[in-house]
Amino acid sequence: MALSDDLTKINVQVENVVRKVERQYADVAGADAEILRVNDTNVEAYLRNFQWDYARYRYQGRQLSDLVTQIQTMVAKVDEELKKLSISYGEKTQALSAVQRKKTTNLITSDFEDFLTPDQINKHEFLNTEFLVTLVVIVPSAIEPDFLRTYETIGSEIAAFGGPDWTSTFNPQGLGKDDGNFGPECQRTSVKGSPVVPASAVKVHQEGDTNLYTITILKGHYVAGVIEGNEFSPGHMVDYVEPFKVAAREKRLTVREFVFDPSKAGGLDQQIDHAKWELQQVHTTIVRWCKAHYGEVYSGWVHLKVIRGFVESVLRYGLPVDFLSVFIEPNMKREKQLRTALSKAMDHLHQGIAVEEDEEDAGDDNTDLLPYVCHKFSVVGAAGISS
């Protein structure tokens, strides 16, 4: 009785693995792929000509529970291998999708090496000195005219241009004196303006309705150190770059710092080719694996059904064993007539003991009490077959 109850659960588990292999093969190989086979034949032919595999499932001198455990162990191993292959295939598919998305150029997020070439870069001057830096500005075409007209005034409160008066009124004797013209008292921020170098905008690239310009700006200015009492506060640089990015963003402009590695230019196509190759390798492995293991798990599933039918028949009819197990492929339109005929032919075996039809017969009247043991299951690519 315990084995009979276990077989019901084990049958469902094994069938799930069979269906997993089928689905994985169909998803990877496609609808037009070669059908999966069992022992070098199709499923229908295998079932119509089924014979017990004595070489693989030797039952002489063994407990039925040992055969069931053998099938369970084999199926569990196949299920674990399938999970690993499925995960690998999913990862390779995602990797290819990710690198293909990078191929769709987005001037705001794409690496410059993905859409600029060394020749394009060599035509333009990119500065990064102690006081000057060339930045990249992403400009929508809709506001391009306004950008060209006003870019020299972006961040007009950022740069400090105040300082000593070096004109003809300059008095050298005032150097070092605390008169507000020199040293820490110098009003550096008395005059402010944009850090953009005039006439530095250059159009480098266009992608759809978005343009890529370069402009050169001042990096910042130096504030001299001061002595307060007996302590010295060292000088420091006041940064212009980050405030300029904020000011540009307020005008719907995106500012990026320029980083370009010529050795990586054009490498995106190579990455795509490599990702495709890796996906194809896993694809080929899964197709071959499914072909190799489908027959094994399907055969184990069918043998499990035979064992289940044997166990339930013994429980039903008792010992000694004197019954026949068969696969029946009914005409689906005349299935009820077939059941009626079978019931009448075997009604003499009933002897007042009734057994419900297997619960797998979902959608049919599974409350009918039959004088024989019946397990119904569906076969992919074939009509329902009952045993």
Side-chain angles (χ1 to χ4, degrees), residues 36-211:
L36 291 169
R37 306 175 76 82
V38 183
N39 293 350
D40 297 325
T41 187
N42 60 49
V43 168
E44 296 99 319
Y46 172 74
L47 291 172
R48 292 192 182 102
N49 301 284
F50 174 78
Q51 290 184 342
W52 186 270
D53 189 343
Y54 293 97
R56 177 170 293 176
Y57 302 112
R58 181 181 58 82
Y59 55 79
Q60 290 88 350
R62 300 179 66 188
Q63 297 288 333
L64 286 179
S65 57
D66 293 338
L67 285 175
V68 173
T69 299
Q70 178 184 344
I71 295 173
Q72 273 187 290
T73 303
M74 176 270 294
V75 172
K77 182 179 178 181
V78 169
D79 189 29
E80 185 63 28
E81 291 180 3
L82 180 61
K83 288 179 182 177
K84 293 179 180 179
L85 286 172
S86 180
I87 291 173
S88 178
Y89 186 76
E91 290 175 345
K92 299 303 180 184
T93 301
Q94 291 177 1
L96 176 59
S97 298
V99 74
Q100 286 177 331
R101 283 195 298 270
K102 292 179 65 178
K103 185 68 174 178
T104 304
T105 302
N106 185 326
L107 298 186
I108 296 176
T109 59
S110 297
D111 294 335
F112 295 123
E113 295 89 349
D114 294 343
F115 58 91
L116 295 179
T117 65
D119 289 340
Q120 284 179 288
I121 300 303
N122 293 334
K123 293 178 182 178
H124 306 282
E125 185 177 24
F126 292 84
L127 299 176
N128 190 6
T129 65
E130 184 177 1
F131 297 107
L132 294 174
V133 63
T134 298
L135 299 176
V136 174
V137 183
I138 313 304
V139 184
S141 295
I143 61 173
E144 185 179 12
D146 184 62
F147 164 76
L148 292 175
R149 186 174 62 256
T150 63
Y151 77 91
E152 295 179 357
T153 63
I154 297 175
S156 58
E157 296 295 319
I158 295 175
F161 296 124
D165 182 6
W166 301 105
T167 61
S168 57
T169 60
F170 168 60
N171 179 14
Q173 283 73 29
L175 286 173
K177 294 182 179 180
D178 188 10
D179 58 3
N181 290 321
F182 309 100
E185 300 299 326
C186 174
Q187 298 299 315
R188 187 69 177 269
T189 59
S190 60
V191 179
K192 293 185 177 181
S194 171
V196 177
V197 175
S200 63
V202 178
K203 189 172 184 177
V204 176
H205 185 79
Q206 181 173 357
E207 194 74 34
D209 294 332
T210 312
N211 306 277

Side-chain angles (χ1 to χ4, degrees), residues 13-14 29 59 64 70 79 107 113 134 147 157 159 165 176 198 239 246 256 263 305-306 328 342 358 377 381 386:
Q13 295 169 357
V14 175
Y59 55 79
L64 286 179
Q70 178 184 344
D79 189 29
L107 298 186
E113 295 89 349
T134 298
F147 164 76
E157 296 295 319
D165 182 6
D239 179 55
V246 174
R256 299 180 58 184
S263 64
K305 287 187 172 296
V306 173
I328 298 177
L342 287 172
D358 186 82
F377 63 99
S386 299

Side-chain angles (χ1 to χ4, degrees), residues 175-327:
L175 286 173
K177 294 182 179 180
D178 188 10
D179 58 3
N181 290 321
F182 309 100
E185 300 299 326
C186 174
Q187 298 299 315
R188 187 69 177 269
T189 59
S190 60
V191 179
K192 293 185 177 181
S194 171
V196 177
V197 175
S200 63
V202 178
K203 189 172 184 177
V204 176
H205 185 79
Q206 181 173 357
E207 194 74 34
D209 294 332
T210 312
N211 306 277
L212 187 149
Y213 277 84
T214 61
I215 61 172
T216 300
I217 72 169
L218 295 170
K219 279 186 173 181
H221 72 263
Y222 181 75
V223 175
V226 296
I227 298 177
E228 296 181 358
N230 295 324
E231 294 186 4
F232 174 71
S233 298
H236 62 276
M237 288 292 296
V238 175
D239 179 55
Y240 292 170
V241 175
E242 291 304 319
F244 179 78
K245 290 181 180 179
V246 174
R249 191 158 52 242
E250 293 174 354
K251 294 182 176 293
R252 297 168 53 199
L253 304 171
T254 301
V255 178
R256 299 180 58 184
E257 297 185 33
F258 182 75
V259 179
F260 185 85
D261 185 351
S263 64
K264 295 181 180 179
L268 191 57
D269 290 332
Q270 296 177 7
Q271 293 179 37
I272 293 175
D273 291 341
H274 182 69
K276 287 181 177 178
W277 178 82
E278 287 188 333
L279 180 60
Q280 183 59 43
Q281 293 296 105
V282 179
H283 176 279
T284 302
T285 299
I286 290 181
V287 170
R288 291 176 178 173
W289 185 93
C290 288
K291 288 181 178 180
H293 290 81
Y294 178 76
E296 184 180 12
V297 293
Y298 199 97
S299 175
W301 182 42
V302 175
H303 280 76
L304 188 67
K305 287 187 172 296
V306 173
I307 294 173
R308 185 183 177 195
F310 177 84
V311 170
E312 295 191 10
S313 296
V314 170
L315 293 174
R316 175 72 182 282
Y317 302 115
L319 297 173
V321 174
D322 185 18
F323 47 78
L324 176 68
S325 296
V326 296
F327 289 107

